[in-house]
Amino acid sequence: MENINDNLIEILVTIDQNYIKPLEVMMYSLKLNNLQQQMRVWIIYDNISAPALTALQNFGQKIDIQVEALAMNADFTFPESLLNLHDYPQEMYFRLLSGKILPSKLHRIIYLDPDILIINSIKPLWDLDLQGKMFAAAAHEGLTDIMSSINNIRLGTTTAYFNSGIMLMNLDQMRQKVKLDDLIDAINKHHDTLILPDQDILNYLYGEDILQIPETKWNYDARAYSVYLTRSAGEDNLEWVMQNTSILHFCGKPKPWQKENHSRFKVLYLNYQQMTNNLTKVKK
């Protein structure tokens, strides 16, 4: 049976050097809204410099989050020909292989994209009963569930189309079920139809192994405020979000740290970004 350490919440990110600053903002929001929790962030990476990793670990010390960095094992590197899909980096696949890379003493972990803010406690997600599933994730359904239907046809799946940006993962099951050869075979098979490669592969191979969780609580698409408001008949307004949503996800492009972004939640992101930048300027 899966063991849960109530005293330490394990977080996984898989990034390259370009996402270090957004990761710092995410980590700071995580700490500020989970002050009573111990946190450890695991970074699986391929091309981050040693000085950048040291600076990130020093930042973690400032906010009382332990940072562990693991270089991607060469045995699990994808063939170059399979990675040139829509200019997506290979780091996006590392989350699916994380069971092979992370220490065997870890049994569950929360995967988080760096382009998010945590604005309430994530402890309920950490404590979630996976009901025998390998993952827990949300589906961005819009006003209707038409996109899941389109993706069912495109990928030949029968479940909702799950977003891979926030996931609770059972690492013990992943060590048994997730295989590099299966990922490569799926990429080869659907090479011409993949839109979001790792997310498509997650849904194609493991959709039946995913427990669906509420998107407005755990994976709120920051672009879709008007959709959520309409779908809830006005109930899910800004006050509701600030009280009930735990994770704001700045999906797609542009990102909130870019000048052209006009998301309703950009000002909130910029506030956390400013606090983070001020903290990084303070010497220990």
Side-chain angles (χ1 to χ4, degrees):
M1 185 176 179
E2 181 191 7
N3 294 320
I4 303 173
N5 185 344
D6 289 330
N7 298 319
L8 180 63
I9 295 178
E10 307 282 6
I11 304 294
L12 171 66
V13 294
T14 59
I15 63 166
D16 60 21
Q17 189 131 343
N18 295 324
Y19 273 87
I20 288 179
K21 287 302 181 182
L23 174 58
E24 290 179 346
V25 177
M26 184 269 276
M27 288 172 55
Y28 194 44
S29 73
L30 173 66
K31 186 60 183 181
L32 282 182
N33 293 291
N34 292 270
L35 289 172
Q36 303 305 313
Q37 293 297 143
Q38 291 182 282
M39 304 281 182
R40 177 162 56 188
V41 172
W42 296 84
I43 301 171
I44 299 177
Y45 71 95
D46 182 54
N47 62 344
I48 300 179
S49 69
L53 284 174
T54 299
L56 190 55
Q57 289 171 327
N58 290 339
F59 175 76
Q61 289 180 357
K62 285 184 179 181
I63 61 173
D64 194 29
I65 291 181
Q66 182 180 347
V67 176
E68 299 284 352
L70 296 174
M72 186 60 175
N73 190 312
D75 293 339
F76 293 100
T77 300
F78 281 82
E80 191 71 27
S81 61
L82 298 180
L83 294 172
N84 297 323
L85 299 172
H86 309 283
D87 297 320
Y88 285 98
Q90 65 176 344
E91 283 80 4
M92 69 191 315
Y93 296 100
F94 292 176
R95 75 195 81 175
L96 294 178
L97 295 168
S98 58
K100 311 286 187 183
I101 306 162
L102 292 166
S104 59
K105 66 183 179 181
L106 298 184
H107 302 288
R108 67 165 47 193
I109 202 162
I110 298 174
Y111 171 82
L112 297 175
D113 274 350
D115 58 345
I116 69 172
L117 288 178
I118 292 89
I119 60 174
N120 280 300
S121 173
I122 64 166
K123 185 67 161 54
L125 181 59
W126 177 249
D127 292 337
L128 182 69
D129 180 0
L130 278 166
Q131 301 175 29
K133 300 288 188 178
M134 185 160 52
F135 303 103
H140 290 153
E141 297 178 334
L143 281 175
T144 67
D145 199 15
I146 189 171
M147 286 310 299
S148 284
S149 298
I150 291 172
N151 286 311
N152 289 157
I153 295 171
R154 181 170 62 89
L155 297 171
T157 55
T158 59
T159 64
Y161 183 75
F162 296 101
N163 182 276
S164 62
I166 292 95
M167 296 188 291
L168 175 64
M169 308 194 303
N170 182 318
L171 293 171
D172 294 325
Q173 283 200 40
M174 291 176 68
R175 291 175 184 119
Q176 295 177 358
K177 296 181 179 180
V178 179
K179 303 182 188 309
L180 177 61
D181 287 345
D182 291 342
L183 303 186
I184 292 175
D185 288 345
I187 293 169
N188 276 325
K189 181 176 181 179
H190 292 280
H191 184 283
D192 295 332
T193 58
L194 294 177
I195 298 174
L196 298 171
D198 75 309
Q199 190 164 279
D200 284 350
I201 296 304
L202 171 75
N203 281 273
Y204 173 68
L205 289 176
Y206 310 114
E208 298 287 347
D209 292 307
I210 301 175
L211 175 69
Q212 187 166 355
I213 54 178
E215 60 173 312
T216 52
K217 174 72 173 176
W218 297 116
N219 196 334
Y220 188 106
D221 186 342
R223 303 168 299 182
Y225 173 75
S226 60
V227 172
Y228 295 131
L229 190 66
T230 301
R231 197 169 68 191
S232 66
E235 181 179 342
D236 295 357
N237 55 22
L238 287 174
E239 289 80 5
W240 185 96
V241 172
M242 296 308 296
Q243 292 174 8
N244 295 280
T245 295
S246 288
I247 300 177
L248 282 176
H249 191 183
F250 293 88
C251 306
K253 296 179 180 180
K255 296 300 184 186
W257 55 87
Q258 298 171 330
K259 290 183 179 180
E260 59 268 36
N261 183 278
H262 299 290
S263 163
R264 185 178 297 265
F265 296 97
K266 177 171 183 173
V267 65
L268 181 62
Y269 187 90
L270 293 179
N271 183 45
Y272 277 97
Q273 183 182 59
Q274 181 174 329
M275 289 189 291
T276 303
N277 289 340
N278 289 340
L279 186 63
T280 58
K281 294 174 184 177
V282 177
K283 294 183 178 180
K284 291 198 72 175

